[in-house]
């Protein structure tokens, strides 16, 4: 499960925990704008999830430390899950680490490729364009978006604050990104 924009709100962390049970996932990727280290700790300790993530523009060093203490800080790193390679680019990319990245199945990025989005839909970066050209991901999940949009081979994930999350089916024939909302799930009566 991938979420962006929890903004330190415990109620959203609880929705992530409940949605992970509903979706049958045991890994949650916090893809920026977490804001509170308590969110990372809660999802790891109270929900029993494997937590990984990278920082967004409103995250400080305490969030990065929480990823390192309670989960995995995956900035500019390739993580392998169920035989699929997932490359992660957060708000503070490390170009020296990204140079070694080769073909990947999925790119989860805080920044959008320049040609993929309309003005204002997401933050863009020419670095991401270069990484995509070199790694040729089968799916790209952009997480600095306010609303969820599907743009060709790109998925722009809206903020958790607005109810959005994504699940990634890693099974054959290849990775499939499915976007959902807490509002459309069985959690709606609890809001």
């Amino acid at each position: 499960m991938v979420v962006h924009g929890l903004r330190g709100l415990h109620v959203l962390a609880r929705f992530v925990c409940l949605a992970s049970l509903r979706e049958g996932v045991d890994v949650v990727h916090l893809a920026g704008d977490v804001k509170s280290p308590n969110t990372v700790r809660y999802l790891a300790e109270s929900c029993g999830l494997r937590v990984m993530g990278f920082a967004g523009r409103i995250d400080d060093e305490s969030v990065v430390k929480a990823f390192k203490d309670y989960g995995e800080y995956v900035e500019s790193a390739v993580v392998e899950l169920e035989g699929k390679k997932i490359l992660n680019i957060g708000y503070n990319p490390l170009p020296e680490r990204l140079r070694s990245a080769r073909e990947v199945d999925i790119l989860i990025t805080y920044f959008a490729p320049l040609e993929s989005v309309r003005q204002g839909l997401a933050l863009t970066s020419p670095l991401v364009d270069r990484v995509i050209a070199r790694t040729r991901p089968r799916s790209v999940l952009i997480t600095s978006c306010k609303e969820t949009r599907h743009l060709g081979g790109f998925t722009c994930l809206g903020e958790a604050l607005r109810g959005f999350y994504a699940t990634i089916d890693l099974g054959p024939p290849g990775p499939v990104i499915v976007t959902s909302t807490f509002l459309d799930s069985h959690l709606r009566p609890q809001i």
Side-chain angles (χ1 to χ4, degrees), residues 1 4 7 33 36-37 40 42-43 47 51 61 71 75 77 84 88 103 128 154 169 173 175 182-183 186 188 191:
M1 172 180 288
H4 162 259
R7 300 185 178 266
D33 298 341
S36 172
V40 179
Y42 168 76
L43 291 171
C47 296
V51 180
E61 188 58 36
E75 177 60 70
K84 302 291 191 271
N88 303 276
E103 287 190 29
V128 172
F154 304 97
D169 180 354
F182 300 124
L183 300 175
H186 72 289
R188 184 181 185 107
I191 295 177

Side-chain angles (χ1 to χ4, degrees), residues 29 31-32 53-56 74-78 86-95 98 101 106-112 125 127-132 134-135 141-144:
H29 188 303
F54 50 68
V74 295
E75 177 60 70
S76 303
V78 175
I86 303 168
L87 176 59
N88 303 276
I89 303 175
Y91 191 71
N92 302 304
L94 304 168
L98 292 170
I106 302 167
L107 170 62
I108 300 175
T109 174
Y110 194 82
F111 296 102
S125 170
L127 171 71
V128 172
D129 287 308
R130 291 189 302 271
V131 169
I132 287 174
R134 188 178 64 255
T135 62
L141 181 60
I142 305 160
T143 67
S144 63

Side-chain angles (χ1 to χ4, degrees), residues 3 27 49 51 55 96 105 108 135 148 150 165 174-175 179 181-182:
V3 293
V27 178
L49 293 168
V51 180
E96 65 279 0
D105 297 291
I108 300 175
T135 62
T148 294
H150 299 279
Y165 67 93
T179 55
T181 175
F182 300 124

